[in-house]
Amino acid sequence: MSPARGGAPEGSGADVEKAAMTAGIEQGGRGTWRHAAFHVATTIATPAAYAPLPFALASLGWPLGVCSLVIGTLMTWCSSLVIASLWQWNGDNHTSYRHLAESIFGPWGYWYVSFFQQVASVGNNIAIQIAAGSSLKAVYNHYHTADDGAMTLQQFIILFGAFELLLSQLPDIHSLRWVNAICTASTIGFAGTAIGVTLYDGHRIDRKEVTYSLQGSTASKIFRAFNALGTIAFSFGDAMLPEIQSSLREPVRMNMYKGVSTAYSIIVMSYWTLAFSGYWAFGSGVQPYILSSLTVPRWTIVMANLFAVIQITGCFQIYCRPTFAQFEQRIQGKDTSYKTRLWRLMYTSAYMVVITLISAAMPFFGDFVSICGAVGFTPLDFVLPALAFLKAGKLPENPGLRSAAKVISSTVAVLFSIVGALACIGAVRAIALDVKTYKFFHDM
């Protein structure tokens, strides 16, 4: 692969990484558009992403909540197509988001994406691990009703972390294709089960007791609204599109377009239906993790939690890969020697220990979802695609349309930069309040 134009000088750390990265990202372009759909759906449409959506709507109210959800869907779908269209914009194949940004914007683009991608990846996996532990504990509580000797949330988080460490030994994204196919099926299973139980519970509840008014003081309403914007940004987060695209066969662009659009058809059906039905059923009292609001029938709640854990498994793995790639640039990517496998076990173990420790110490699911969406996904999924389109996209030749495209793209970049900042403020405030309320390693 030739060096990206406008990138870092030859011999820089970025160029060394580009030459070395093979094991964690690219495997010769063998995937089809169906594999792309599996990967994108697994990365975006996770229970950790859309289970908090009813709570986000409850923090915004019907009009603003519905508008925010629809705008988030349309914006991220268009942004995904923009990133996919830049696959070979200057004649080079860009196998990671970092190198695509470096090729378009120069060295600052590389480090911009590197920072925010790591924030998104780590924050997403902390939220995922908390959600997985919560779902496993819910299944356990269904069968174990005695208080003595009951397992805690932290123990389930550790068990999930151990399983993810095992999957982390798989070499690349393409090797996860069948895992992610199962995860995509689990996405549909989770959405169908959760929506069905939500509607069932909603009809059982006395509708006169359900309120949709915003709760708390004026300041609390404002900060909760900021927090909700971060949650919605998180729910559509996908900071891995070029990495997924690099695993596809020719025609790469068309396969990615079809894969993204197929994944978004699943996302729209599941996200919108669960968000609207969850808010309708429980109103302002809906929990940050929708499964915590469900009561009966209990066997279907167990099934929804199991679907959630299966789906989350694949998403966690995809978001590990940018971090793993930072380590893999230091070793021989395709060398299958004992030493290389030992190094992989060491750095994947270190990663899992850190993620598991944070998840167990501060199991505040909704807060991590919001701050990850605000700080990690908003810059990568809303702001950067708009700037990339301005600089490298194919703008219309018609002067009027060209000017309109520039104004819209600039407005999107500025508006979502503000949204990200406000959401970050709301998320930090929520974490500060929770830390005061709960002790570390609290069994939620």
Side-chain angles (χ1 to χ4, degrees), residues 97-119:
Y97 207 160
R98 296 188 300 276
H99 296 124
L100 174 61
E102 180 189 26
S103 181
I104 296 173
F105 300 108
W108 80 265
Y110 175 90
W111 295 112
Y112 176 96
V113 170
S114 294
F115 173 76
F116 287 113
Q117 195 176 54
Q118 289 300 324
V119 171

Side-chain angles (χ1 to χ4, degrees), residues 207-224:
R207 303 310 304 166
K208 294 179 180 179
E209 296 181 358
V210 178
T211 177
Y212 300 101
S213 60
L214 300 181
Q215 302 297 307
S217 63
T218 301
S220 296
K221 292 176 184 178
I222 293 173
F223 283 114
R224 285 186 66 187

Side-chain angles (χ1 to χ4, degrees), residues 50 53-54 57 62 69 191-192 194-196 198-199 266-280:
Y50 57 89
L53 284 177
L57 261 63
W62 277 116
L69 188 59
I195 290 166
T198 297
L199 293 174
I266 298 172
I267 290 167
V268 168
M269 289 188 293
S270 58
Y271 274 38
W272 291 12
T273 308
L274 184 60
F276 299 151
S277 63
Y279 185 31
W280 166 81

Side-chain angles (χ1 to χ4, degrees), residues 225-282:
F226 292 168
N227 210 15
L229 295 177
T231 299
I232 292 174
F234 175 90
S235 68
F236 293 100
D238 185 2
M240 297 287 295
L241 283 171
E243 285 83 349
I244 292 172
Q245 194 166 0
S246 69
S247 69
L248 303 183
R249 66 179 63 157
E250 293 290 345
V252 176
R253 280 199 189 93
M254 188 54 62
N255 281 331
M256 195 62 182
Y257 293 157
K258 291 171 67 177
V260 166
S261 298
T262 301
Y264 264 81
S265 66
I266 298 172
I267 290 167
V268 168
M269 289 188 293
S270 58
Y271 274 38
W272 291 12
T273 308
L274 184 60
F276 299 151
S277 63
Y279 185 31
W280 166 81
F282 304 107

Side-chain angles (χ1 to χ4, degrees), residues 152-362:
T152 66
L153 173 62
Q154 283 69 28
Q155 290 171 313
F156 287 109
I157 288 175
I158 292 171
L159 287 175
F160 182 77
F163 181 68
E164 289 296 342
L165 176 60
L166 180 63
L167 286 182
S168 295
Q169 306 316 305
L170 293 173
D172 52 41
I173 289 177
H174 188 67
S175 66
L176 295 166
R177 60 193 181 279
W178 297 116
V179 174
N180 289 341
I182 297 171
C183 292
T184 302
S186 296
T187 297
I188 299 171
F190 173 83
T193 306
I195 290 166
V197 180
T198 297
L199 293 174
Y200 179 81
D201 275 10
H203 282 291
R204 289 181 65 255
I205 296 173
D206 184 358
R207 303 310 304 166
K208 294 179 180 179
E209 296 181 358
V210 178
T211 177
Y212 300 101
S213 60
L214 300 181
Q215 302 297 307
S217 63
T218 301
S220 296
K221 292 176 184 178
I222 293 173
F223 283 114
R224 285 186 66 187
F226 292 168
N227 210 15
L229 295 177
T231 299
I232 292 174
F234 175 90
S235 68
F236 293 100
D238 185 2
M240 297 287 295
L241 283 171
E243 285 83 349
I244 292 172
Q245 194 166 0
S246 69
S247 69
L248 303 183
R249 66 179 63 157
E250 293 290 345
V252 176
R253 280 199 189 93
M254 188 54 62
N255 281 331
M256 195 62 182
Y257 293 157
K258 291 171 67 177
V260 166
S261 298
T262 301
Y264 264 81
S265 66
I266 298 172
I267 290 167
V268 168
M269 289 188 293
S270 58
Y271 274 38
W272 291 12
T273 308
L274 184 60
F276 299 151
S277 63
Y279 185 31
W280 166 81
F282 304 107
S284 302
V286 68
Q287 296 297 310
Y289 192 54
I290 184 64
L291 296 186
S292 300
S293 294
L294 305 181
T295 55
V296 290
R298 290 181 63 84
W299 68 270
T300 55
I301 299 173
V302 169
M303 189 165 65
N305 277 290
L306 289 175
F307 277 133
V309 174
I310 294 171
Q311 202 288 333
I312 284 170
T313 298
C315 181
F316 189 102
Q317 279 304 306
I318 289 184
Y319 277 104
C320 287
R321 302 298 157 162
T323 306
F324 292 170
Q326 298 287 345
F327 292 100
E328 285 159 2
Q329 66 178 316
R330 308 290 181 183
I331 62 176
Q332 295 288 331
K334 291 183 180 293
D335 184 1
T336 58
S337 67
Y338 170 78
K339 184 178 179 181
T340 300
R341 289 195 294 269
L342 181 60
W343 272 109
R344 183 179 186 87
L345 179 61
M346 290 174 61
Y347 65 70
T348 54
S349 297
Y351 178 88
M352 289 308 309
V353 167
V354 172
I355 297 296
T356 302
L357 182 62
I358 297 174
S359 303
M362 296 189 295

